[in-house]
Amino acid sequence: MTNAPQLTPLVAVTADVKDVDNYRWHAAAETYVKAVTIGLAGIPVIVPSLGDALDIDRLLERVDGVLVTGSRSNVHPPLYGAEADAASEPYDHARDATTLPLIRAAIRHGVPLLAICRGFQELNVALGGTLISEVQDLPGRSDHRAPVSNDQAERFAIRQDVVITTGGCLGRIVDAEAFKVNSLHRQAVGTLAEGLTVEAVAPDGTIEAVSVTGAAGFAVGVQWHPEYWVATDAPSGRLFRAFGDAMRARIAARGSYQAAAE
Ligand SMILES: N[C@@H](CCC(=O)NCCCC(=O)O)C(=O)O
């Protein structure tokens, strides 16, 4: 996929904080940054989780979209009124302090937003919703965790059904009523935030995708991982292309580009 240079979206990609070799790193998994290049011909820019030291409003003036990534860490339960406990670890407080205000600001400014897995959960928490933990242990729920394997392709295998909400924005994007996705999560939406619309559910009722109700632009969250098979899985590719199209439309509408000389 190629596009005119002036319509190449700059995409803010959220970072996890990791302590390795006596250094603190702010990192994003390669699958997310590659999906920005492969899936929408954009330029990923990893945004460090610096919390209130990050001028989010100025950042959002300079980027064309926000991709909130997945992570093995969990949102700190007190952020949605629950008790922290060892079972909910690991946490990433610096990431929480960055992504929650970033999500709210992106929605406020109408910056296209795609939230994946933990990012989907952060979207719900950022707007006032809650999460449930160890969903596989709850009555009537299935196991949404990754298959036990050292092979990432096996862990991210596409295997779980989701049913799309009829007439929703996600259905228009993926042009399907039901399809299979991968699933690598222990937590799930508990109370859905006001201002979110359910776009897909799993057979056990777990909310699998949402959109921001009445959002000025593209604002979608999915519990699964479209980034992983973006090049080969049709719904994944369509979702990333729609994200890219929304960013390009916003660039054009903002007139923030000078047509390059032919
Ligand atoms: N930690 C949360 C969110 C899950 C998530 O984002 N998973 C992505 C990483 C998957 C992996 O490599 O294990 C939860 O568990 O619900």
PDB file of all heavy atoms in Angstrom, residues 57-69:
ATOM      1  N   ASP A  57      -1.807  17.216  24.819  1.00  0.00           N
ATOM      2  CA  ASP A  57      -2.497  18.072  23.844  1.00  0.00           C
ATOM      3  C   ASP A  57      -1.570  18.495  22.719  1.00  0.00           C
ATOM      4  O   ASP A  57      -1.939  18.488  21.533  1.00  0.00           O
ATOM      5  CB  ASP A  57      -3.082  19.306  24.538  1.00  0.00           C
ATOM      6  CG  ASP A  57      -4.278  18.954  25.421  1.00  0.00           C
ATOM      7  OD1 ASP A  57      -5.034  18.022  25.051  1.00  0.00           O
ATOM      8  OD2 ASP A  57      -4.424  19.566  26.489  1.00  0.00           O
ATOM      9  N   ARG A  58      -0.325  18.840  23.055  1.00  0.00           N
ATOM     10  CA  ARG A  58       0.643  19.211  22.007  1.00  0.00           C
ATOM     11  C   ARG A  58       0.970  17.991  21.144  1.00  0.00           C
ATOM     12  O   ARG A  58       1.093  18.088  19.935  1.00  0.00           O
ATOM     13  CB  ARG A  58       1.948  19.750  22.615  1.00  0.00           C
ATOM     14  CG  ARG A  58       1.873  21.002  23.435  1.00  0.00           C
ATOM     15  CD  ARG A  58       1.433  22.260  22.684  1.00  0.00           C
ATOM     16  NE  ARG A  58       0.012  22.304  22.389  1.00  0.00           N
ATOM     17  CZ  ARG A  58      -0.929  22.521  23.311  1.00  0.00           C
ATOM     18  NH1 ARG A  58      -0.605  22.635  24.596  1.00  0.00           N
ATOM     19  NH2 ARG A  58      -2.215  22.592  22.960  1.00  0.00           N
ATOM     20  N   LEU A  59       1.103  16.818  21.784  1.00  0.00           N
ATOM     21  CA  LEU A  59       1.363  15.598  21.006  1.00  0.00           C
ATOM     22  C   LEU A  59       0.261  15.374  19.978  1.00  0.00           C
ATOM     23  O   LEU A  59       0.517  15.106  18.802  1.00  0.00           O
ATOM     24  CB  LEU A  59       1.443  14.393  21.950  1.00  0.00           C
ATOM     25  CG  LEU A  59       1.421  13.009  21.286  1.00  0.00           C
ATOM     26  CD1 LEU A  59       2.714  12.745  20.528  1.00  0.00           C
ATOM     27  CD2 LEU A  59       1.162  11.910  22.325  1.00  0.00           C
ATOM     28  N   LEU A  60      -0.992  15.538  20.421  1.00  0.00           N
ATOM     29  CA  LEU A  60      -2.113  15.256  19.526  1.00  0.00           C
ATOM     30  C   LEU A  60      -2.263  16.285  18.415  1.00  0.00           C
ATOM     31  O   LEU A  60      -2.964  16.063  17.433  1.00  0.00           O
ATOM     32  CB  LEU A  60      -3.407  15.134  20.342  1.00  0.00           C
ATOM     33  CG  LEU A  60      -3.469  13.909  21.261  1.00  0.00           C
ATOM     34  CD1 LEU A  60      -4.750  13.920  22.084  1.00  0.00           C
ATOM     35  CD2 LEU A  60      -3.349  12.605  20.474  1.00  0.00           C
ATOM     36  N   GLU A  61      -1.585  17.440  18.565  1.00  0.00           N
ATOM     37  CA  GLU A  61      -1.551  18.405  17.451  1.00  0.00           C
ATOM     38  C   GLU A  61      -0.624  17.910  16.343  1.00  0.00           C
ATOM     39  O   GLU A  61      -0.738  18.330  15.189  1.00  0.00           O
ATOM     40  CB  GLU A  61      -1.048  19.773  17.939  1.00  0.00           C
ATOM     41  CG  GLU A  61      -2.028  20.519  18.823  1.00  0.00           C
ATOM     42  CD  GLU A  61      -1.385  21.752  19.453  1.00  0.00           C
ATOM     43  OE1 GLU A  61      -0.165  21.979  19.244  1.00  0.00           O
ATOM     44  OE2 GLU A  61      -2.103  22.477  20.170  1.00  0.00           O
ATOM     45  N   ARG A  62       0.330  17.033  16.718  1.00  0.00           N
ATOM     46  CA  ARG A  62       1.368  16.648  15.762  1.00  0.00           C
ATOM     47  C   ARG A  62       1.171  15.273  15.145  1.00  0.00           C
ATOM     48  O   ARG A  62       1.822  14.945  14.167  1.00  0.00           O
ATOM     49  CB  ARG A  62       2.735  16.689  16.462  1.00  0.00           C
ATOM     50  CG  ARG A  62       3.010  17.957  17.234  1.00  0.00           C
ATOM     51  CD  ARG A  62       3.126  19.203  16.338  1.00  0.00           C
ATOM     52  NE  ARG A  62       4.314  19.135  15.511  1.00  0.00           N
ATOM     53  CZ  ARG A  62       5.515  19.568  15.895  1.00  0.00           C
ATOM     54  NH1 ARG A  62       5.656  20.077  17.118  1.00  0.00           N
ATOM     55  NH2 ARG A  62       6.561  19.478  15.090  1.00  0.00           N
ATOM     56  N   VAL A  63       0.320  14.434  15.776  1.00  0.00           N
ATOM     57  CA  VAL A  63       0.117  13.095  15.209  1.00  0.00           C
ATOM     58  C   VAL A  63      -1.261  13.025  14.556  1.00  0.00           C
ATOM     59  O   VAL A  63      -2.129  13.873  14.789  1.00  0.00           O
ATOM     60  CB  VAL A  63       0.269  11.997  16.292  1.00  0.00           C
ATOM     61  CG1 VAL A  63       1.677  12.018  16.880  1.00  0.00           C
ATOM     62  CG2 VAL A  63      -0.802  12.127  17.371  1.00  0.00           C
ATOM     63  N   ASP A  64      -1.425  11.979  13.758  1.00  0.00           N
ATOM     64  CA  ASP A  64      -2.688  11.840  13.018  1.00  0.00           C
ATOM     65  C   ASP A  64      -3.592  10.757  13.589  1.00  0.00           C
ATOM     66  O   ASP A  64      -4.743  10.636  13.176  1.00  0.00           O
ATOM     67  CB  ASP A  64      -2.364  11.525  11.553  1.00  0.00           C
ATOM     68  CG  ASP A  64      -1.478  12.595  10.942  1.00  0.00           C
ATOM     69  OD1 ASP A  64      -1.905  13.779  10.965  1.00  0.00           O
ATOM     70  OD2 ASP A  64      -0.366  12.284  10.499  1.00  0.00           O
ATOM     71  N   GLY A  65      -3.049   9.951  14.504  1.00  0.00           N
ATOM     72  CA  GLY A  65      -3.853   8.912  15.127  1.00  0.00           C
ATOM     73  C   GLY A  65      -3.137   8.335  16.337  1.00  0.00           C
ATOM     74  O   GLY A  65      -1.949   8.614  16.557  1.00  0.00           O
ATOM     75  N   VAL A  66      -3.882   7.539  17.096  1.00  0.00           N
ATOM     76  CA  VAL A  66      -3.334   6.923  18.308  1.00  0.00           C
ATOM     77  C   VAL A  66      -3.650   5.428  18.286  1.00  0.00           C
ATOM     78  O   VAL A  66      -4.814   5.035  18.099  1.00  0.00           O
ATOM     79  CB  VAL A  66      -3.938   7.562  19.579  1.00  0.00           C
ATOM     80  CG1 VAL A  66      -3.427   6.854  20.837  1.00  0.00           C
ATOM     81  CG2 VAL A  66      -3.602   9.053  19.643  1.00  0.00           C
ATOM     82  N   LEU A  67      -2.618   4.621  18.448  1.00  0.00           N
ATOM     83  CA  LEU A  67      -2.792   3.179  18.574  1.00  0.00           C
ATOM     84  C   LEU A  67      -2.420   2.791  20.005  1.00  0.00           C
ATOM     85  O   LEU A  67      -1.281   2.985  20.436  1.00  0.00           O
ATOM     86  CB  LEU A  67      -1.890   2.438  17.578  1.00  0.00           C
ATOM     87  CG  LEU A  67      -1.872   0.910  17.688  1.00  0.00           C
ATOM     88  CD1 LEU A  67      -3.244   0.317  17.393  1.00  0.00           C
ATOM     89  CD2 LEU A  67      -0.828   0.323  16.730  1.00  0.00           C
ATOM     90  N   VAL A  68      -3.403   2.289  20.756  1.00  0.00           N
ATOM     91  CA  VAL A  68      -3.177   1.868  22.145  1.00  0.00           C
ATOM     92  C   VAL A  68      -2.991   0.353  22.130  1.00  0.00           C
ATOM     93  O   VAL A  68      -3.914  -0.389  21.781  1.00  0.00           O
ATOM     94  CB  VAL A  68      -4.339   2.279  23.063  1.00  0.00           C
ATOM     95  CG1 VAL A  68      -3.969   2.071  24.538  1.00  0.00           C
ATOM     96  CG2 VAL A  68      -4.714   3.753  22.837  1.00  0.00           C
ATOM     97  N   THR A  69      -1.823  -0.083  22.490  1.00  0.00           N
ATOM     98  CA  THR A  69      -1.427  -1.473  22.262  1.00  0.00           C
ATOM     99  C   THR A  69      -1.918  -2.409  23.364  1.00  0.00           C
ATOM    100  O   THR A  69      -2.393  -1.974  24.417  1.00  0.00           O
ATOM    101  CB  THR A  69       0.119  -1.574  22.240  1.00  0.00           C
ATOM    102  OG1 THR A  69       0.598  -1.265  23.573  1.00  0.00           O
ATOM    103  CG2 THR A  69       0.717  -0.642  21.221  1.00  0.00           C
TER     104      THR A  69
END
